[in-house]
Amino acid sequence: MPVYEFICEKCKKRFTLTLSLSEYEKKKFACPKCKSSKVRQQISTFQTVTPKKS
Ligand SMILES: [Zn+2]
């Protein structure tokens, strides 16, 4: 299952969640620290790697 990275907008804690697609589509994410649902998804670094042309 893919790992999604989030940052809490309330306490600024970064956390990762392993979610199945159905869980992800429900968008029921909450900060494990303060239980806030005001979380923002971060783009995983390995997904933003730009291909290098050599
Ligand atoms: Zn939080």
Side-chain angles (χ1 to χ4, degrees):
M1 284 193 288
V3 177
Y4 299 93
E5 193 178 348
F6 297 90
I7 186 165
C8 176
E9 293 193 341
K10 200 173 176 185
C11 68
K12 307 295 181 193
K13 181 180 171 60
R14 280 183 176 217
F15 58 97
T16 54
L17 293 174
T18 307
L19 300 167
S20 67
L21 191 61
S22 58
E23 284 176 311
Y24 179 73
E25 284 176 341
K26 283 179 200 164
K27 299 196 186 293
K28 286 210 167 186
F29 319 128
C31 171
K33 192 182 174 191
C34 68
K35 311 294 182 197
S36 172
S37 58
K38 280 200 169 185
V39 297
R40 195 152 31 97
Q41 189 179 355
Q42 301 289 99
I43 309 298
S44 300
T45 46
F46 62 86
Q47 286 178 335
T48 55
V49 172
T50 46
K52 283 178 183 170
K53 285 177 183 175
S54 55

